Amino acid sequence: MLHVTPPQRAPQCVRDSALANGAGWLDLHAETLQHNRFPTVFGIGDSSGTGNAKTAAAVRKQAPVVAANLLAHLDGRALEGRYDGYGACPLTVERGKVIMAEFGYQGALQPSFPLDPTKARKLYWLLKAQALPPIYF
């Protein structure tokens, strides 16, 4: 299977700022999502310098971690929220059939759907073709 994606990079406003790491991404702790040098800064999403896929599914798991850790930081408590690198990508394996690839840091499988993640399904095709475009765009 050939899966081609365009080169990914953070927006220029991040790349050219003191917030960026050496590769130009937001310099975040991979689990707490707190900036490594500026403790009042937290981040999620496509600009994050975490070793995960940049997907909406990742943001869905990152947002509650950042909310919990930001509140803890404001209250002077330890940051207890942890992000495990979760991301998901619907991979089309044939017309009308998709495998929902869900994974974390180091490619660890993290299936969250109650169905066998190795089996291509029409249900996932419908999710990819009908539900996700309006969510993304």
Side-chain angles (χ1 to χ4, degrees):
M1 177 173 82
L2 178 63
H3 184 79
V4 179
T5 60
Q8 293 184 343
R9 62 183 183 177
Q12 188 171 357
C13 63
V14 171
R15 291 191 319 262
D16 295 343
S17 76
L19 298 172
N21 62 20
W25 300 96
L26 194 58
D27 189 16
L28 301 178
H29 183 277
E31 293 179 344
T32 65
L33 304 175
Q34 181 182 39
H35 198 278
N36 287 317
R37 291 170 286 141
F38 301 103
T40 59
V41 175
F42 291 80
I44 63 173
D46 290 352
S47 297
S48 300
T50 53
N52 66 302
K54 311 300 187 219
T55 66
V59 172
R60 179 177 63 88
K61 295 288 191 165
Q62 291 170 343
V65 171
V66 166
N69 285 342
L70 180 58
L71 291 173
H73 179 74
L74 291 172
D75 289 342
R77 296 181 283 117
L79 307 183
E80 295 181 5
R82 294 290 181 262
Y83 174 60
D84 59 9
Y86 177 86
C89 181
L91 299 174
T92 303
V93 294
E94 66 181 85
R95 181 158 180 78
K97 296 228 176 160
V98 166
I99 290 175
M100 187 61 69
E102 299 176 280
F103 41 86
Y105 289 133
Q106 285 79 46
L109 295 180
Q110 295 183 1
S112 65
F113 290 93
L115 305 171
D116 179 357
T118 64
K119 184 176 179 191
R121 300 184 183 278
K122 183 175 183 172
L123 173 65
Y124 297 152
W125 171 268
L126 294 172
L127 176 68
K128 178 180 179 169
Q130 302 296 320
L132 293 180
I135 291 169
Y136 283 126
F137 303 110

